Amino acid sequence: MKRILVGDIGGTKTRLALAEGEGTVVVLTEVRTYPSLHYATLELVLEEYVTQVGFPVEGIALGVAGPVSRQRAQVTNLPWVVESAALRQRFGVQCILLNDLEAVAWGLPALRGDELFSLQEGVPSEGNRAVIAAGTGLGEAGIHWDGTRFHPFATEGGHTSFAPRTEREIALWRFLQARHGHVSWERVVSGMALPELHEFLRAHEHSSIPAWLQAVLEGASAGAVLAQAALEATDPLCVELMHWFVRLYGAEAGNLALKVMSRGGVYVGGGIAPKILPLLRQPGFLESFVDKGRMRPLLEAMPVQVILTDQVALYGLALAARSSRIC
């Protein structure tokens, strides 16, 4: 694999690196992260990166948070339009665009054992796989097994309609529907969902927000603050919030697993999962994952693993670029 520029383009941050390697081994160098909202276009980010590290590369491969059609994408949760033809003209090398979760799916073969944590051993077997990842938004992808090799494919499953299961979740749906109209799974399982879940829960439980928490929330990323308060058990309602969030996450992971028939395993990625691993290891996630009536035995047989590294999409972009022969 010749050296290429790979980039994971998200609504909150853009991570760029240079990638080389052989087989399924990917070696990343010059890994740098940029706050996406600080830039008007992706080209400005790439130009800054090239100025910093130089540009002796054979191609560019980018994973974009949003649907990719004919090598063009409007980034979800970010006012950027990305086109491979424009990037090829600007930088003078071949460029490919993938959905960011499709890039994660491509990257699974490059993961080392210490970059995965098993939540459920299941019964490992060949078959389709599924990837779900809550970060700024909620991404989902599938990997089709044709009997010989795997074929990753993108979905926009995070934007499918949220299905409440309890009276409280029905009340949550009404709360969100009044604000947003369509209530997707991304509205309840993502970093951007956490502040609204917290607001709803405070009102539903008739609980006021502590002054110290309000002060912290005003000066930082609200989702991260709420999750940390739960992990440190400094606010009981934040603890309940994150346990509820984990159960919702498990429910939608189980939905995806059934739709993809992922006998080969379910992979939980994204920026949130490694940070809340102690909560994912508790029963709530898997209880919701397998709670699908007559399909429970099928889900109990599926391996479920958490991806611990934030570089898996970059691995996948490098492998996809080699497969497409742009480098």
Side-chain angles (χ1 to χ4, degrees), residues 106 109 125-129 143-146 148-152 264:
W106 272 99
S125 65
E126 291 183 337
N128 297 345
R129 297 177 178 180
I143 309 168
H144 170 59
W145 172 249
D146 70 2
T148 303
R149 61 185 292 263
F150 289 106
H151 303 270

Side-chain angles (χ1 to χ4, degrees), residues 159-204:
H159 296 283
T160 58
S161 300
F162 167 56
R165 303 164 298 160
T166 65
E167 289 299 325
R168 183 168 71 175
E169 289 180 8
I170 291 170
L172 172 65
W173 179 87
R174 290 180 176 137
F175 171 82
L176 293 173
Q177 195 271 341
R179 289 188 172 187
H180 304 292
H182 178 245
V183 183
S184 67
W185 275 99
E186 184 173 85
R187 291 288 182 193
V188 297
V189 181
S190 67
M192 69 179 188
L194 281 170
E196 283 194 311
L197 286 177
H198 180 254
E199 181 184 350
F200 166 80
L201 201 56
R202 289 280 176 198
H204 191 264

Side-chain angles (χ1 to χ4, degrees), residues 12-316:
T12 301
K13 59 190 176 184
T14 292
R15 181 177 290 107
L16 302 175
L18 302 178
E20 298 176 276
E22 295 294 336
T24 59
V25 175
V26 177
V27 178
L28 301 176
T29 57
E30 300 291 355
V31 180
R32 304 196 180 192
T33 302
Y34 302 84
S36 300
L37 288 172
H38 289 193
Y39 298 84
T41 66
L42 174 61
E43 285 84 353
L44 292 175
V45 184
L46 293 172
E47 286 169 1
E48 182 172 325
Y49 182 79
V50 167
T51 299
Q52 292 169 343
V53 306
F55 196 66
V57 299
E58 301 296 322
I60 299 173
L62 303 173
V64 181
V68 177
S69 177
R70 298 182 179 180
Q71 288 298 289
R72 183 182 187 275
Q74 166 68 63
V75 183
T76 307
N77 302 319
L78 197 64
W80 289 357
V81 174
V82 183
E83 295 181 284
S84 63
L87 294 173
R88 183 170 63 249
Q89 183 176 16
R90 168 64 185 83
F91 294 102
V93 295
Q94 291 292 322
C95 176
I96 61 168
L97 302 181
L98 277 71
N99 170 267
D100 58 341
L101 260 290
E102 183 182 1
V104 171
W106 272 99
L108 296 182
L111 291 172
R112 303 186 305 268
D114 62 355
E115 293 176 319
L116 291 166
F117 181 88
S118 178
L119 291 179
Q120 176 171 275
E121 292 296 330
V123 182
S125 65
E126 291 183 337
N128 297 345
R129 297 177 178 180
V131 182
I132 185 168
T136 302
L138 179 66
E140 300 181 0
I143 309 168
H144 170 59
W145 172 249
D146 70 2
T148 303
R149 61 185 292 263
F150 289 106
H151 303 270
F153 61 90
T155 83
E156 287 298 328
H159 296 283
T160 58
S161 300
F162 167 56
R165 303 164 298 160
T166 65
E167 289 299 325
R168 183 168 71 175
E169 289 180 8
I170 291 170
L172 172 65
W173 179 87
R174 290 180 176 137
F175 171 82
L176 293 173
Q177 195 271 341
R179 289 188 172 187
H180 304 292
H182 178 245
V183 183
S184 67
W185 275 99
E186 184 173 85
R187 291 288 182 193
V188 297
V189 181
S190 67
M192 69 179 188
L194 281 170
E196 283 194 311
L197 286 177
H198 180 254
E199 181 184 350
F200 166 80
L201 201 56
R202 289 280 176 198
H204 191 264
E205 300 296 328
H206 306 290
S207 174
S208 61
I209 184 170
W212 68 267
L213 181 57
Q214 182 66 60
V216 176
L217 285 173
E218 290 174 355
S221 170
V225 168
L226 295 168
Q228 193 61 34
L231 290 167
E232 295 175 355
T234 52
D235 177 65
L237 206 71
C238 285
V239 173
E240 171 56 24
L241 166 71
M242 291 309 299
H243 281 294
W244 189 24
F245 177 86
V246 164
R247 293 193 294 273
L248 290 164
Y249 203 165
E252 175 58 1
N255 291 338
L256 176 63
L258 287 177
K259 291 173 182 177
V260 176
M261 189 59 79
S262 51
R263 295 181 186 272
V266 177
Y267 294 80
V268 182
I272 294 177
K275 296 172 184 174
I276 64 168
L277 187 59
L279 299 176
L280 293 174
R281 294 177 63 181
Q282 295 181 26
F285 182 91
L286 284 178
E287 285 178 354
S288 290
F289 178 80
V290 302
D291 186 21
K292 304 297 182 188
R294 291 171 291 175
M295 293 296 105
R296 184 184 187 98
L298 176 64
L299 289 156
E300 289 175 334
M302 293 181 183
V304 181
Q305 299 191 76
V306 178
I307 300 171
L308 301 178
T309 176
D310 61 3
Q311 297 185 344
V312 60
L314 300 179
Y315 297 163

